[in-house]
Amino acid sequence: MSRKYLIAGNWKMNMSASESVDLISEINSLVGQQIHTQVCICPPFTSLQKSSSLVEQSEVHLGAQNMSSEPSGAFTGEISAGMLRDLYVTFVILGHSERREYFGESNQSINRKVLAAVENNLKPIYCIGETLEERESDQTLAVIKTQIYEGLANYPLSEVDNLVLAYEPVWAIGTGKTATNEMAQEVHAYVRKLLTDIFGDTAASGVRILYGGSMKPENAKGLLAQPDVDGGLIGGASLNARSFCSIVEAATGD
Ligand code: PGA
């Protein structure tokens, strides 16, 4: 099955609302009309409202970096899936390793968010990945397996088309160290095998598996050429329109 590349920018806790307007406008003018590669920008919550009007007429989609698993109520500081939908958000990053490490998110709590996202017509970008210690002790595939089985528990087969996975080795995030093309492909192929075991061959072959962790214009082509790498989740390099758009172009083949 042919899968359309997805290049998603994870801005993390960067960019004021007005800085976001400038950056999105620049990205829009560079890649906002191309349709070969799907493009998604995930700014902070505070920039979503202004950003949604900017991408309305373009092919650039909007994503959030987190959300609550609860629909509404007494959850101070939280943002619900419905609130994101209201701002024309289509994707939501869930289970990023920074959320796991600094905010105590577990496979179980992330699973509740993943299920809440699809119930509300948001496409989850579910992040998985091993730490350096886990890689060095040969636990990578075991960690990935647990993250997939627990994080995707009870995920409805009818929603597999809306599921995106992001393999982000923790040791590669923001460090300048990237997994080699072979390392990325090995884990991506394993993720697809697990998805096949859970959802069956046809459904699993349509799921996009992104690579994340110091992806930049210089290494994007090699990573994206791997058969099971279907795009990228880009942190640092997404804060500059030219470098982000060069990665989109690497996916498009320009
Ligand atoms: P990086 O971040 O590209 O800066 O390594 C990726 C991510 O955390 O999603």
Side-chain angles (χ1 to χ4, degrees), residues 10 12 96 98 168 172-175 212-215 233-237:
N10 175 10
K12 309 193 180 187
H96 190 280
E98 288 150 16
E168 299 204 305
I173 295 177
T175 57
S214 301
M215 196 191 254
L233 182 55
I234 323 296

